[in-house]
């Protein structure tokens, strides 16, 4: 099975947001973590993994998973220690942080829909998308003739704390798979899983590329 992206040549870039943190650490309560690529194993970004409950998460407030570009116009270069030192050494009562809002639902919707264009995509939240193939057979066909027809339904989950992206087969245990399953059906499931995982890895690669492009623009 092939599932080539129909994404346009123009990259889908996350929004760059400038935050004004009104209190320096430790009172601001911001904790920063480093994300490592699941593919290359290299550090990809710093992200906000927790913050003080006093923030209301308006557009100009910290959001869980915001990826840090600069602190007071200085790039911490993927070093948690450097980032925390920049926060601690800042003069005055405010700290300016430039972040990529890769956790925005509109950004994730664009990424998933572009890569998985053969699927109907519905987001339950900014962290979870449900995908069904547009050519899914009817439930009746899949139940009566599992040797010929198999239904699929997947979820994609984004972890704001770690940056990880994972998927799950939501029809892994159903009547027409656990009863009367055939070698042909099992092969279809295996082929679909392989194709889905491949597309997810390509989407992650696109996310890394877009992150770097957005960072370059923000720092230029």
């Amino acid at each position: 099975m092939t599932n080539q992206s129909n994404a346009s040549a123009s990259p889908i870039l996350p929004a760059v947001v400038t935050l004004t943190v009104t209190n320096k650490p430790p009172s601001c309560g911001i904790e920063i973590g480093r994300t490592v690529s699941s593919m290359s194993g290299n550090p990809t970004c710093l992200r906000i993994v927790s913050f003080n409950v006093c923030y209301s998460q308006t557009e100009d407030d910290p959001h869980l998973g915001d990826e840090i570009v600069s602190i007071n116009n200085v790039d911490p270069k993927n070093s948690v220690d450097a980032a925390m030192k920049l926060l601690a050494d800042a003069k005055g009562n405010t700290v300016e942080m430039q972040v990529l809002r890769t956790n925005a639902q509109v950004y994730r919707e664009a990424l998933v829909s572009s890569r998985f264009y053969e699927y109907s995509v519905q987001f339950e939240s900014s962290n979870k998308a449900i995908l069904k193939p547009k050519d899914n057979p009817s439930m009746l066909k899949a139940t009566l003739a599992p040797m010929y027809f198999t239904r699929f339904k997947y979820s994609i989950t984004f972890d704001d704390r770690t940056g990880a992206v994972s998927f799950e087969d939501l029809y892994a245990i159903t009547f027409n798979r656990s009863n009367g399953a055939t070698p042909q059906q099992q092969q279809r499931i295996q082929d679909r899983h392989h194709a889905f995982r491949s597309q997810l890895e390509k989407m992650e690669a696109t996310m890394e590329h877009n992150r770097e492009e957005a960072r370059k623009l923000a720092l230029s």
Side-chain angles (χ1 to χ4, degrees):
M1 179 184 299
T2 60
N3 182 14
Q4 300 299 319
S5 170
N6 66 344
S8 63
S10 300
I12 304 167
L13 299 183
V16 178
V17 180
T18 300
L19 312 178
T20 300
V21 181
T22 55
N23 296 302
K24 295 194 297 181
S27 57
C28 68
I30 289 179
E31 182 181 349
I32 296 172
R34 188 172 70 169
T35 297
V36 176
S37 170
S38 60
M39 293 180 291
S40 67
N42 297 323
T44 57
C45 69
L46 298 179
R47 65 177 61 237
I48 295 175
V49 296
S50 69
F51 50 85
N52 198 304
V53 294
C54 68
Y55 294 112
S56 58
Q57 282 199 280
T58 63
E59 183 67 18
D60 297 327
D61 283 332
H63 288 207
L64 190 66
D66 278 346
E67 299 183 7
I68 297 173
V69 176
S70 65
I71 299 173
N72 281 348
N73 297 315
V74 179
D75 181 4
K77 300 186 183 300
N78 288 337
S79 168
V80 174
D81 290 342
M84 296 308 294
K85 188 174 188 304
L86 286 170
L87 287 173
D89 292 348
K91 297 179 180 179
N93 294 321
T94 61
V95 179
E96 188 174 278
M97 300 175 65
Q98 202 172 31
V99 301
L100 301 181
R101 191 138 288 168
T102 54
N103 47 17
Q105 183 169 326
V106 64
Y107 173 64
R108 288 172 173 171
E109 285 177 349
L111 281 172
V112 175
S113 298
S114 177
R115 175 56 60 183
F116 294 92
Y117 72 96
E118 293 180 349
Y119 290 75
S120 296
V121 179
Q122 182 176 0
F123 271 72
E124 290 187 343
S125 68
S126 63
N127 298 85
K128 187 173 184 178
I130 304 299
L131 297 87
K132 296 180 182 179
K134 293 178 180 178
D135 61 352
N136 244 358
S138 68
M139 188 178 298
L140 180 62
K141 282 184 176 180
T143 302
L144 296 179
M147 68 291 294
Y148 301 115
F149 303 103
T150 305
R151 287 169 60 83
F152 293 92
K153 181 180 181 182
Y154 293 100
S155 67
I156 293 177
T157 302
F158 298 85
D159 189 325
D160 286 334
R161 292 182 182 276
T162 65
V165 184
S166 59
F167 81 96
E168 180 183 0
D169 176 9
L170 298 180
Y171 284 164
I173 301 176
T174 63
F175 176 82
N176 63 8
R177 286 196 188 175
S178 59
N179 295 271
T182 66
Q184 298 97 315
Q185 185 190 46
Q186 294 306 311
Q187 188 62 51
R188 282 197 300 275
I189 294 171
Q190 183 178 344
D191 290 346
R192 174 77 71 162
H193 282 14
H194 177 77
F196 196 94
R197 185 183 299 277
S198 176
Q199 291 304 308
L200 192 67
E201 290 173 353
K202 290 177 181 178
M203 188 183 78
E204 287 187 274
T206 298
M207 291 168 65
E208 288 194 26
H209 172 76
N210 293 349
R211 174 188 294 117
E212 289 308 308
E213 290 298 308
R215 281 179 57 85
K216 289 177 183 177
L217 288 173
L219 291 170
S220 62

